[in-house]
Amino acid sequence: MSERTIAESLVAELHARGVRRIFGVPGGGSSLDVIEAGAALGIEFVLTRTESAAAMMAAATAELTGTLGVALATKGPGTANGVNGVAYASLDRAPMLFLTDGFSAAEQRYVTHQVFDQRAMLAPITKGSADLAGPQPEQELRELLDLALAAPHGPVLIELTSETARKQTAAVARTTAPRNETKPLVPVMVTKLLATARLPVIVLGLEARTPAAAAAVKTFAEALGCPVVATYKAKGVIADRHPQYVGGFTSGAAEAQCVGRADLIILIGLDPVELLRQPWRYRAPVVDIALVHHPVHYLQPTVGVYGPLAASLAILQGSARRSDWTLEEIATLRTAMRSALQYRKRGAIGPQEVVELAAAAVETFPVRPRIAVDAGAHMFSAMAFWPCDGPGDVAISNGLASMAFALPAAIALALADRDRPVIAFTGDGGLYMCVGELATAVQHRARVIVIVFNDEALSLIDIKQQQRQLPTRGVRFAQTDFAATMRAMGGRGYRAANVTEYRAALQQALQDSGPALIDVAVDPSGYSDQLKALRG
C-alpha cells in the first residue's frame, strides 16, 4: 500500500470531488504544502487580496458548480479575516471547506503569539471541524466533506498544522457508495390541497436552483398554470420572460398583491433565511416542499414534503390540477409589480437605467452575462430589472446580505466559466470594502465588468436615517474616482455622469475580454420610494 502526506490525501480527495481551484492568502505553514499538492493535480491556487473575499469566491464557485468551494488562510489574523466569507457560506447555504493553519500541541504549551481558539470562533457558522490528526485522517476528511454537502449546505473547517500536513499516511482507495436517497413521504393532505386549490401561487427559494430541481419546478408550475414568484437566490429558476413569472419575493409589500390572492401558497425550496425580518402576512394554507424541515420559520406550514425536490415534485405532478388563473391576470400582476418598483429619478441617471441599459447592451451577445449583486439600495433595481434566463444567472448574498460580495463573486464565476462574462453591480460602499480584489480580477484576466453605483453614501442606511428624521451623520463618503483606481491596478476604468457617457462607457467596457470598471454617478433621490414599494 503506497503512502502519501496528509496534505496530498486532502488535495486528492478535493480533486476527486471536482475541486479545480482554491482561493486564499497563504501563510508559511501547512498552506504551502496544500498549494504544492494541488499544483501536482492541476488545482489552481488563486491568490486573493483578502481572506474574506477568498471565502466568498469559494462559496460562489460552489453555488455555481455544485462542487465544494475551498478557501485557504493562515492561522490567527488570516483565519479571523476570513470569518465574514465563512458566514456567507453558512447563511447562504454554500458547501465550502475553510482550510486554516494551526498550532501543534507542542507549540501550544509555550506559544501565545497569534494563538486563539479558531475552531471555537468559527463553530457558530460551521457545520463541523476536524484537524486530521487522528488515526484515520482520510475517513475523517470524507465524513467532514460529506457534511458540508448535506442539506442544508454549509461550510466546514479543517485546522491543519504543518506537522499534520507532512505526516505520511497510507493511501486508502476511494470508494463511492451509491446514494440511497430517501423517497419523499407525501401526506394525503398535500394531494387534497393541490386538487382543490383554484388560485395557487408558487414561491421559489434557493434550494430549487439545481438543474434537476429547476426542470421539475418548470414542469410542475406549467401544469398548475399559476403565478410564480422567487426569492433573490432563486431568481432565474423560472425565467423572467416566462409568462407565469411575476417577480421577486422578499416577504415584503411588492409581491403582496399577487400572493395575497392565493387560496394555496406552495413553497418550493424556500429557506426562511432568505426572508425579511417581517411577520408572515398571508392566511392561505401553505404547502412547504423543501429539502429539509426548517425548525425556525416565519410560519407553521399546513403540511410539509421533505426530500429531494425533483422527486417530490414528480410525485405531486399527478395532483397538480390546472388552476383558474389566466395568463392575462398573471401579466397584470407582473406589470403592477414592475410599475411599483420603477425608479423615479430627478438626476441625470438613475439605478434602473444603469441596469436596463447594461441589459440592452448585451442583448446581442451569444450568451447573456451572469450578474453578481452587492447588498445596498442599488440591488432593488438590479434584482427587479435584470432579466435572468436560468438558475445561476445571478449571485447575491441574501441570507447574510453582506456588502463586499459582488466583486469577489463575479471573479469566481468568471474563472469557473471562462466563456461567460460577469457584470458586478456594486455600490461604492461595498467596493470600498474589497477594492483590492480589482487587482485579483486584473491578474487573472477575469471577464468581469464592475459597475459602481456611486452616490457617495451608504444609501440604504442614509434612507433609514432620513426616515427617522435624524441629522445626516456617519453615512456619507468623500468623492472617489473608482475608474482611476481601476486603471492604477492595470484594468480599464471609465466614468459616467449621464446616460450618454454611460452608453459610451458600456460600449468600450464590453469590447475586450479583460476586466473593466464603470464608475457611474447615480441619482439617489428615488431610493426611498422604491424601498417603500418593495418592503412596505
Side-chain angles (χ1 to χ4, degrees):
M1 185 177 291
S2 62
E3 288 198 340
R4 57 188 177 186
T5 67
I6 288 179
E8 290 169 338
S9 292
L10 166 63
V11 170
E13 180 66 23
L14 295 177
H15 187 270
R17 290 175 183 256
V19 174
R20 296 297 178 264
R21 196 167 283 108
I22 297 174
F23 303 89
V25 182
S30 64
S31 53
L32 298 181
D33 299 282
V34 171
I35 292 170
E36 190 60 26
L41 291 178
I43 295 179
E44 178 187 11
F45 179 73
V46 177
L47 174 62
T48 63
R49 273 52 183 178
T50 66
E51 294 85 354
S52 180
M56 287 183 174
M57 291 181 196
T61 300
E63 290 178 295
L64 178 65
T65 64
T67 62
L68 279 164
V70 183
L72 178 152
T74 190
K75 54 185 173 287
T79 299
N81 202 35
V83 168
N84 193 54
V86 179
Y88 169 79
S90 176
L91 292 182
D92 280 272
R93 314 310 193 206
M96 189 191 77
L97 169 62
F98 190 52
L99 181 60
T100 74
D101 200 356
F103 294 90
S104 68
E107 287 176 316
Q108 291 183 53
R109 284 195 285 269
Y110 67 92
V111 174
T112 55
H113 176 67
Q114 295 188 324
V115 175
F116 59 87
D117 191 337
Q118 298 179 153
R119 294 171 80 168
M121 179 182 71
L122 289 162
I125 52 172
T126 51
K127 297 182 71 177
S129 62
D131 59 14
L132 307 187
Q136 295 179 303
E138 293 197 355
Q139 180 179 338
E140 185 180 14
L141 170 64
R142 289 167 186 168
E143 289 176 354
L144 186 70
L145 300 184
D146 286 344
L147 180 62
L149 288 160
H153 303 318
V156 294
L157 168 69
I158 292 180
E159 191 177 43
L160 187 67
T161 67
S162 298
E163 179 183 50
T164 301
R166 297 166 197 169
K167 182 180 176 181
Q168 293 288 319
T169 183
V172 179
R174 189 175 191 276
T175 58
T176 303
R179 289 188 177 183
N180 295 318
E181 292 187 335
T182 304
K183 187 177 180 180
L185 178 64
V186 178
V188 175
M189 183 184 293
V190 178
T191 57
K192 289 182 177 179
L193 287 169
L194 287 174
T196 57
R198 297 293 182 266
L199 296 172
V201 172
I202 292 174
V203 181
L204 300 178
L206 66 84
E207 295 175 353
R209 293 175 299 168
T210 66
V217 163
K218 184 173 183 290
T219 301
F220 183 72
E222 290 176 346
L224 287 173
C226 67
V228 179
V229 292
T231 64
Y232 284 163
K233 300 285 281 193
K235 183 177 170 69
V237 171
I238 290 289
D240 285 48
R241 296 178 175 88
H242 194 285
Q244 290 174 233
Y245 183 71
V246 172
F249 183 88
T250 64
S251 198
E255 66 271 14
Q257 183 179 353
C258 172
V259 183
R261 287 187 59 188
D263 62 0
L264 178 66
I265 299 171
I266 306 169
L267 309 181
I268 303 180
L270 180 77
D271 188 316
V273 78
E274 304 183 80
L275 305 183
L276 292 173
R277 293 180 298 169
Q278 294 186 7
W280 187 255
R281 63 179 70 204
Y282 307 107
R283 295 185 177 182
V286 175
V287 174
D288 183 26
I289 305 170
L291 293 177
V292 293
H293 170 66
H294 298 280
V296 180
H297 210 303
Y298 288 74
L299 65 133
Q300 180 62 45
T302 309
V303 64
V305 181
Y306 302 110
L309 296 186
S312 296
L313 293 174
I315 295 171
L316 294 172
Q317 186 72 29
S319 305
R321 69 171 295 278
R322 190 77 182 176
S323 72
D324 291 346
W325 289 101
T326 66
L327 292 181
E328 291 76 18
E329 288 175 310
I330 297 173
T332 298
L333 291 170
R334 179 170 57 251
T335 300
M337 184 182 291
R338 288 180 64 88
S339 177
L341 294 176
Q342 292 288 317
Y343 192 91
R344 289 154 179 87
K345 67 170 187 174
R346 289 191 283 272
I349 185 168
Q352 182 177 336
E353 285 177 305
V354 171
V355 174
E356 290 183 327
L357 288 172
V362 300
E363 190 64 40
T364 59
F365 276 34
V367 180
R368 179 179 293 275
R370 293 186 173 93
I371 62 170
V373 183
D374 223 59
H378 66 279
M379 73 179 178
F380 305 148
S381 291
M383 297 305 292
F385 298 108
W386 180 272
C388 289
D389 298 320
D393 281 2
V394 59
I396 186 170
S397 176
N398 194 23
L400 182 63
S402 176
M403 296 169 69
F405 169 79
L407 174 56
I411 294 170
L413 299 182
L415 295 182
D417 185 355
R418 289 279 188 179
D419 295 327
R420 192 169 177 185
V422 185
I423 295 176
F425 289 124
T426 180
D428 44 7
L431 184 56
Y432 277 127
M433 295 179 185
C434 61
V435 69
E437 302 306 330
L438 292 173
T440 306
V442 171
Q443 180 177 346
H444 291 275
R445 294 285 298 169
R447 295 184 67 189
V448 171
I449 298 173
V450 182
I451 298 179
V452 188
F453 296 72
N454 191 346
D455 53 20
E456 301 176 8
L458 291 169
S459 291
L460 196 52
I461 312 306
D462 193 8
I463 294 167
K464 295 175 181 179
Q465 193 175 63
Q466 292 173 35
Q467 288 173 340
R468 294 180 58 188
Q469 299 182 332
L470 295 170
T472 299
R473 208 186 313 276
V475 295
R476 302 288 173 87
F477 299 119
Q479 187 179 60
T480 296
D481 186 342
F482 289 108
T485 302
M486 182 60 158
R487 290 193 294 270
M489 294 190 183
R492 294 170 296 131
Y494 311 96
R495 299 194 78 185
N498 54 54
V499 169
T500 300
E501 292 177 358
Y502 180 57
R503 287 184 192 272
L506 275 171
Q507 185 176 9
Q508 290 179 295
L510 291 167
Q511 282 177 349
D512 191 53
S513 61
L517 179 147
I518 305 175
D519 184 355
V520 190
V522 295
D523 161 39
S525 62
Y527 280 138
S528 183
D529 290 341
Q530 199 177 38
L531 176 64
K532 185 176 181 180
L534 182 71
R535 298 184 177 178

